[in-house]
Amino acid sequence: MPDWIGSFDSQGTPVLKIRIAIPPTAEAEFEAIIDTGFTGFLSVPVWALPILKSQVDGIQWATLADGATLIRLTVKATVSIDDVNITEEAIIERDGNEVLI
């Protein structure tokens, strides 16, 4: 895997600029928080769906750090960083405001 260079946002949180594509839309760029406690592929806030012109396509259970489990909507998404593209199921987060990777 290549080395990617991120940065820190104004609050000191590590972030990485990524492009997200959810077919059939074109890519949109986001500043994603690098969340070392997040065990999923990608978490996208629900407000980003209109930007990505997307609809959900599934559901999955998510386990939080405190052991609580929640059901979340999912969508197949491609994340692009530099010239690397990775496609997996992304979680749609209804309560969050950040893109997590």
Side-chain angles (χ1 to χ4, degrees):
M1 179 153 299
D3 292 330
W4 292 311
I5 298 175
S7 60
F8 293 97
D9 68 11
S10 62
Q11 284 134 19
T13 303
V15 294
L16 183 64
K17 289 202 189 267
I18 65 171
R19 293 178 315 281
I20 301 172
I22 299 173
T25 188
E27 294 177 331
E29 188 171 272
F30 293 90
E31 188 171 79
I33 294 175
I34 302 168
D35 186 346
T36 58
F38 175 59
T39 59
F41 164 65
L42 176 69
S43 177
V44 180
V46 72
W47 60 258
L49 291 182
I51 295 168
L52 295 166
K53 297 179 176 65
S54 177
Q55 296 181 359
V56 298
D57 63 7
I59 59 171
Q60 79 177 45
W61 288 97
T63 303
L64 305 180
D66 66 0
T69 55
L70 306 170
I71 196 162
R72 288 294 183 248
L73 300 172
T74 62
V75 65
K76 184 76 78 177
T78 299
V79 170
S80 300
I81 306 169
D82 297 332
D83 59 352
V84 176
N85 300 313
I86 304 167
T87 303
E88 296 282 340
E89 286 292 317
I91 294 172
I92 306 304
E93 182 54 56
R94 63 187 174 108
D95 298 322
N97 289 317
E98 306 91 4
V99 174
L100 301 179
I101 193 162

